[in-house]
Amino acid sequence: MAAPAAEGLAVTALRSVIHRVRQAAERSGRRADDVRVVAVSKTKPISLITQVYEAGHRCFGENYVQEIIQKAPELPEDIEWHYIGHLQSNKAKQLLTAVPNLAMVHGVDNQKLANYLDRAVSSIGRQPLKVLVQVNTSGEESKSGVDPSNCIELAKHVKLDCPNLEFSGLMTIGQPDYTSTPENFKTLLNCRTEVCKVLGMAESRCELSMGMSSDFELAIEMGSTNVRIGSTIFGPREYPKRQ
C-alpha cells in the first residue's frame, strides 16, 4: 500500500524543484519562464508520470527508445516529450514514428545521426524536429558528445544541411558522477558563443541543456535553459534485478 504515498511525494518534489528553479533564475536576473524543467521519468511507471502530469506538468524526458515508445502512446498527447542522451541512428525513425509529440532530441552527437533524423522527419511528414548538439565537456571517452573543438562543424551541418531539423542549441552531461563543475558549464557557454558567431545566431536563441538533479541550480545561474531532473522528482531509479 506504499505506492500512493510515493506518488504523492513526486508531486511535492516537483513543486519544490519548481520553487528552487524560480529562486535560481531570480538570483541570475532571469525569469523562471526562461527555464524548462524536463522531468526525466526513466524506469518510472506510467501511473507516476500521470500523477506529475495531473499536477500540471507537461514536459517529460526519457533516455531509452524502448521505454519512450511504450509509454508515450499510453499518456496524453499534449505531453512535450524530450529524448535525452545517445540515440542510435537505426532507432531514429522508430522513435519519431512512435512518438509524434516528440518535441526535442537532446544529444545529436554526430553527422550520421543528424542525417538519419532529418530523413526520418521528412519521411513521416511531421513538423521540423528541434535538436540540441551534445558536447562532451568533460573529455571522458565513456561519454557521448562531440569534442568542443568540433561543435561548430556539427551545429553548422544540422543548421545548413538538415532542412527537417531545427538547430536549437547545445547540451552536455558533465562529470563521471553526472554532476557538472562550473568548468563544464563554462565550456558549453564558450561553445555557444563560438557557434552563434559562426551561424549568425543570437545567443538568446540558442538553448543550453545543462544541469541535473544534483547541480541544476548552479546550471541555471550560469545560463541553462533546460534542466533535466529525474531522481529529485521521481525518487531513485528502479532498474530490474539481474537474474
Side-chain angles (χ1 to χ4, degrees):
M1 293 299 287
E7 289 173 346
L9 289 174
V11 173
T12 307
L14 170 74
R15 296 206 173 103
S16 167
V17 164
I18 301 289
H19 178 66
R20 288 166 65 189
V21 165
R22 186 173 295 121
Q23 288 181 315
E26 284 169 4
R27 280 197 297 275
S28 56
R30 299 162 68 206
R31 297 178 316 135
D33 292 353
D34 296 337
V35 184
R36 181 185 291 115
V37 175
V38 184
V40 183
S41 44
K42 177 166 85 170
T43 78
K44 297 300 175 182
I46 284 171
S47 59
L48 198 50
I49 300 170
T50 301
Q51 294 268 333
V52 173
Y53 173 89
E54 286 175 351
H57 200 68
R58 292 293 177 270
C59 183
F60 293 86
E62 287 284 343
N63 297 72
Y64 298 119
V65 171
Q66 212 42 50
E67 215 174 327
I68 193 172
I69 66 177
Q70 285 169 351
K71 289 176 179 176
E74 303 283 319
L75 287 155
E77 288 176 10
D78 65 337
I79 283 180
E80 179 186 307
W81 285 107
H82 290 235
Y83 185 84
I84 297 163
H86 182 67
L87 174 63
Q88 292 170 298
S89 303
N90 60 0
K91 301 256 178 85
K93 187 164 185 184
Q94 183 188 14
L95 172 66
L96 287 167
T97 306
V99 190
N101 47 337
L102 185 72
M104 187 182 275
V105 170
H106 298 228
V108 170
D109 54 8
N110 60 69
Q111 291 192 5
K112 180 184 172 191
L113 173 58
N115 294 339
Y116 269 71
L117 281 168
D118 185 58
R119 286 200 294 271
V121 172
S122 174
S123 71
I124 60 178
R126 57 156 280 164
Q127 293 290 310
L129 175 70
K130 292 183 174 183
V131 300
L132 303 177
V133 165
Q134 183 172 351
V135 184
N136 185 344
T137 56
S138 59
E140 298 162 82
E141 285 183 18
S142 60
K143 290 264 163 68
S144 301
V146 292
D147 187 84
S149 62
N150 296 327
C151 71
I152 291 174
E153 193 186 342
L154 183 53
K156 214 163 141 183
H157 177 75
V158 171
K159 190 161 177 69
L160 304 178
D161 301 327
C162 299
N164 301 291
L165 302 182
E166 184 183 327
F167 171 71
S168 298
L170 305 171
M171 175 264 199
T172 193
I173 287 179
Q175 300 290 77
D177 60 354
Y178 295 99
T179 60
S180 289
T181 64
E183 286 69 37
N184 293 134
F185 294 152
K186 278 184 195 135
T187 298
L188 202 68
L189 288 163
N190 292 340
C191 287
R192 176 170 70 175
T193 302
E194 297 298 317
V195 163
C196 288
K197 206 185 295 175
V198 170
L199 296 180
M201 189 176 178
E203 288 194 25
S204 59
R205 308 281 302 162
C206 186
E207 295 203 38
L208 294 177
S209 172
M210 58 187 200
M212 296 161 73
S213 283
S214 55
D215 56 13
F216 70 89
E217 286 151 307
L218 173 64
I220 291 167
E221 287 173 27
M222 292 187 70
S224 183
T225 59
N226 292 265
V227 289
R228 312 178 303 267
I229 316 286
S231 55
T232 299
I233 294 172
F234 292 108
R237 301 264 154 79
E238 294 156 19
Y239 295 103
K241 300 265 191 301
R242 298 199 170 191
Q243 296 300 317

